[in-house]
Amino acid sequence: MTTSLADWLPSEQGPWHLDFERWPQAQAQRWRAVLAVSADNRCVLLAERDEDMMLLQSVESRLNGPVAWKLASSEAVSHFLGAGEADFRALSDVEEALPAIEDHTEELSALALSEQASPVVRLLNATIYDALQDAASDIHIECSARGATIRFRIDGVMAVVRQVEGAQVAEQVVSRLKVMAELDIGERRLPQDGRFKLRVQGREIDFRLSIMPSVFGEDAVIRILDRAAIARAGALTLDALGFGDEERAAIRHQARQPHGMLLVTGPTGSGKTTTLYATLAEIHTGADKIITIEDPVEYQLSGVVQIPVNEKKGLTFSRGLRSILRHDPDRVMVGEIRDAETAQIAVQAALTGHLVFSTVHANNAFDVLGRFMHMGLDLYNVVSALNAVLAQRLVRLTCRQCARPFTPEPATLARHGATSGQFLKGEGCGHCRATGYKGRRAVAEFLKLDDGLRDLIAARAPMSEIKAAAKARGMKSLREMALAAVCRGETTFEELERVTLDE
């Protein structure tokens, strides 16, 4: 019996056609749902089971519009999936006809997912594929007594995407990850770290893997490092990162200094490295020699020498930085200052005529000074080399598709010291996965050192005195910058309290 779209969809809204570009074949196979689109761009999801709200919201967020749900028979869905598979087979034949190039990087594509025989490999690859589609930064696989929970970190917040039933299946998923990262699959008592690569749509994507033993087995966290994602979107600029006018002008001014050190600080995942890359991209004109040393190289910049750290071979931050200084650089970027030796070399580089960019893990701009003191560095040299410190956080933005004006409680306004503003709050829609937030922007506090502040720091003045002197010079705290974003309707009080400390 021949099955056609006309059998399941109203003919007066036709003609209808299957769309496997916006709803890929791999996802259609896994969810057993097919996307049909009419001539006037009306979308219907044909599925063989009752309505799945998580699936529906996922599709609506990708299509940026409403999608209707239509229950279809299993035979019809199989027929429609077969129609899409023929197109992928044709593409595969073309690829096989091309000259073979030696490349051991595994290809992750819709066709590869649909052809994978092992259910564990198919589950893991489909999870990674979905994470890339949802622009997730991390994948968490958390084992339990009954199996595992898979969660994505999207816009800095965790979201459950699926449950894996069966402890044995969860164990096999972690073992598969160990194989991909070339780790010891027999070692289950100690933490392990590794990395692997996959090729997706012609570009290589790096993944960092952390395995941690837990009560019910081993948990895994996969950090996704899509080097080309931001650059491809044209977002590798300070303007696109969401800094205010004053912060952008201050960063650009410091980035054009002849020597010294500019530090960016914040917790893991706060966008420190992206800010430094955006800064380098703006000042790179070809007139200066720029060298970076990173672990790993997250974005690729044309005309910039980028060195990946390889601790197994002995190339550490400190050793690489020593070699870089003999390579005649004008500007140097150190991915992270982790130890006293790296910090000492970076300070000496800044004092001997180089402009050094780096990141440090600290809670705010003032805590950086404490980190250097804890490392045992000479404070006089540190403050002589240091030009400025930028402390930043990423706050989620209110979804513009479902944002509505609202009036906060008087107690909330009083607690945060706000008097008025254009307050907005997202109600939740398919575009934002029913969270009320879509996208993120940076908020920052900028500490610029002058002679007065340098004297206070070198004299080991109380931190309260240093903070008061900085605020007298016009410095605004992270809390104040985030509150200003709330009053402009860009984010909410909940985000303000989530990412900044109550002062």
Side-chain angles (χ1 to χ4, degrees):
M1 182 181 70
T2 302
T3 306
S4 68
L5 288 174
D7 297 334
W8 298 98
L9 298 168
S11 57
E12 64 271 12
Q13 295 174 2
W16 297 84
H17 68 277
L18 299 175
D19 192 335
F20 285 103
E21 291 184 4
R22 288 183 284 180
W23 179 239
Q25 177 79 2
Q27 293 175 323
Q29 288 277 10
R30 188 171 71 261
W31 290 101
R32 301 288 297 171
V34 187
L35 182 68
V37 181
S38 68
D40 59 352
N41 210 31
R42 195 166 305 180
C43 299
V44 175
L45 207 60
L46 289 164
E48 62 180 24
R49 65 177 187 275
D50 291 334
E51 187 171 331
D52 186 328
M53 286 307 299
M54 189 177 80
L55 170 59
L56 198 57
Q57 289 173 0
S58 175
V59 178
E60 287 180 338
S61 67
R62 291 174 188 170
L63 299 185
N64 254 344
V67 176
W69 187 283
K70 178 72 175 178
L71 196 63
S73 69
S74 178
E75 293 78 8
V77 172
S78 297
H79 175 82
F80 298 144
L81 288 173
E85 186 70 19
D87 294 337
F88 284 107
R89 291 288 180 186
L91 289 174
S92 179
D93 293 341
V94 172
E95 290 174 357
E96 290 175 0
L98 296 174
I101 300 175
E102 181 115 10
D103 190 351
H104 300 291
T105 305
E106 183 179 346
E107 179 77 27
L108 185 62
S109 65
L111 179 61
L113 289 177
S114 61
E115 290 185 337
Q116 184 54 246
S118 169
V120 171
V121 175
R122 188 163 60 246
L123 167 66
L124 183 57
N125 287 356
T127 298
I128 295 173
Y129 191 87
D130 283 351
L132 292 170
Q133 294 293 316
D134 288 338
S137 61
D138 300 85
I139 303 170
H140 291 242
I141 301 174
E142 301 165 345
C143 292
S144 64
R146 307 176 66 177
T149 301
I150 298 178
R151 301 198 291 170
F152 293 167
R153 187 179 294 278
I154 302 174
D155 288 341
V157 177
M158 303 293 289
V160 177
V161 292
R162 62 175 58 91
Q163 299 286 341
V164 177
E165 296 298 331
Q168 187 175 2
V169 176
E171 181 180 320
Q172 291 173 355
V173 169
V174 175
S175 295
R176 167 61 181 170
L177 281 171
K178 289 182 179 180
V179 171
M180 294 171 70
E182 299 180 353
L183 300 179
D184 184 0
I185 62 172
E187 179 57 72
R188 298 180 182 177
R189 299 163 297 175
L190 297 175
Q192 296 189 67
D193 296 312
R195 60 186 60 182
F196 59 93
K197 291 182 180 180
L198 292 174
R199 187 180 298 279
V200 181
Q201 296 178 350
R203 70 182 192 277
E204 282 191 354
I205 297 177
D206 286 319
F207 299 86
R208 279 191 290 185
L209 174 65
S210 174
I211 304 291
M212 185 71 66
S214 68
V215 175
F216 298 107
E218 292 178 296
D219 289 2
V221 175
I222 308 167
R223 167 66 59 89
I224 301 172
L225 300 172
D226 191 354
R227 298 169 178 155
I230 291 183
R232 188 176 65 253
L236 204 56
T237 65
L238 293 175
D239 292 319
L241 297 181
F243 289 108
D245 294 338
E246 292 183 9
E247 288 75 38
R248 287 200 305 270
I251 295 170
R252 286 166 178 156
H253 175 72
Q254 293 299 328
R256 289 180 170 84
Q257 296 302 305
H259 55 79
M261 183 185 293
L262 172 63
L263 294 178
V264 181
T265 184
T268 301
S270 59
K272 301 184 297 295
T273 304
T274 303
T275 296
L276 286 182
Y277 266 103
T279 304
L280 289 178
E282 290 198 1
I283 66 171
H284 181 41
T285 61
D288 295 321
K289 176 83 168 185
I290 301 177
I291 306 179
T292 75
I293 180 166
E294 307 160 64
D295 182 24
V297 175
E298 296 188 18
Y299 309 113
Q300 294 176 341
L301 292 176
S302 177
V304 175
V305 179
Q306 297 175 271
I307 303 168
V309 166
N310 189 339
E311 294 188 357
K312 291 183 180 179
K313 300 295 184 181
L315 180 55
T316 60
F317 274 115
S318 56
R319 184 173 180 179
L321 186 52
R322 289 184 188 276
S323 299
I324 285 173
L325 298 180
R326 295 191 291 268
H327 213 65
D328 190 29
D330 296 296
R331 288 166 169 76
V332 177
M333 185 186 114
V334 183
E336 183 183 346
I337 294 179
R338 297 176 179 173
D339 52 60
E341 186 180 4
T342 305
Q344 184 66 48
I345 301 170
V347 167
Q348 291 300 321
L351 292 172
T352 54
H354 303 89
L355 183 62
V356 179
F357 302 89
S358 189
T359 69
V360 180
H361 283 284
N363 289 325
N364 55 56
F366 300 100
D367 285 351
V368 172
L369 306 174
R371 286 294 305 275
F372 282 140
M373 290 174 62
H374 181 71
M375 290 178 184
L377 272 66
D378 184 346
L379 265 186
Y380 181 80
N381 284 341
V382 171
V383 296
S384 298
L386 193 57
N387 293 343
V389 181
L390 177 75
Q392 72 176 57
R393 299 288 189 278
L394 295 178
V395 297
R396 291 184 294 171
L397 297 174
T398 305
C399 176
R400 293 299 167 183
Q401 301 292 324
C402 62
R404 299 291 183 271
F406 87 108
T407 303
E409 296 290 334
T412 302
L413 293 174
R415 186 171 70 252
H416 294 96
T419 56
S420 62
Q422 298 177 343
F423 302 106
L424 297 175
K425 192 169 187 178
E427 296 181 342
C429 63
H431 182 68
C432 62
R433 300 171 61 91
T435 63
Y437 300 97
K438 184 69 174 178
R440 292 189 289 177
R441 59 152 288 183
V443 293
E445 63 182 18
F446 193 84
L447 174 63
K448 180 181 181 298
L449 273 69
D450 58 16
D451 291 340
L453 285 173
R454 288 189 174 97
D455 290 341
L456 288 172
I457 297 168
R460 298 179 182 268
M463 191 57 68
S464 58
E465 188 176 340
I466 297 173
K467 288 183 178 181
K471 289 189 176 182
R473 288 162 169 77
M475 177 184 170
K476 295 181 180 178
S477 68
L478 279 166
R479 189 79 168 190
E480 291 172 318
M481 299 302 294
L483 180 60
V486 174
C487 294
R488 291 192 299 268
E490 297 175 1
T491 187
T492 64
F493 284 110
E494 288 78 11
E495 275 296 285
L496 167 73
E497 294 173 350
R498 187 179 70 86
V499 302
T500 64
L501 187 67
D502 188 356
E503 299 173 341

